[in-house]
Amino acid sequence: MPAPRKYPLELRERAVRMYRTAEPKPVIRRLAEELGVHHEALRNWIRQAEADAGERGDVLTTAEREELTALRKENAQLKRSNEILKAASWTTSRSGDSPTC
């Protein structure tokens, strides 16, 4: 379960919108102080919004990040299932080796 968000989604959206619509672009640190958020949080929100808009190639989009998380969970589940099947197979093959009278 993900950690609860420190800042409300509405604040994040408003902060990114304020930055993107401002001309000239404000200093992130100053805008963050005005909004009462940490400047690195604001910087990350802006980067993520740019990635989601297709303006950045160095950051995963939100959809890609969600897909990656789902694939990692599925991979972990498959690994656990595989280990269970290996153990069951090994147990079954070992019981077949004993002589029957």
Side-chain angles (χ1 to χ4, degrees):
M1 178 183 274
R5 296 187 186 269
K6 183 174 181 179
Y7 301 106
L9 186 58
E10 298 80 25
L11 173 62
R12 294 172 59 142
E13 291 171 350
R14 191 182 86 198
V16 170
R17 188 172 48 253
M18 286 176 64
Y19 176 82
R20 292 180 65 114
T21 59
E23 282 299 327
K25 295 293 180 213
V27 176
I28 292 177
R29 187 178 295 267
R30 191 168 301 132
L31 180 60
E33 287 174 6
E34 290 174 15
L35 296 171
V37 300
H38 194 273
H39 64 277
E40 285 301 321
L42 178 57
R43 186 180 322 277
N44 288 335
W45 300 341
I46 293 168
R47 288 181 62 184
Q48 190 62 53
E50 290 171 346
D52 290 345
E55 300 168 5
R56 294 185 74 105
D58 62 333
V59 179
L60 294 176
T61 65
T62 301
E64 291 170 333
R65 190 177 308 273
E66 289 170 356
E67 180 183 12
L68 182 59
T69 300
L71 289 172
R72 284 182 174 163
K73 285 180 182 178
E74 181 182 1
N75 191 25
Q77 178 61 38
L78 290 171
K79 283 182 178 182
R80 285 190 296 272
S81 297
N82 196 22
E83 290 300 318
I84 291 169
L85 291 172
K86 281 182 184 179
S89 173
W90 185 81
T91 304
T92 304
S93 67
R94 294 282 295 169
S95 65
D97 291 342
S98 60
T100 54
C101 295

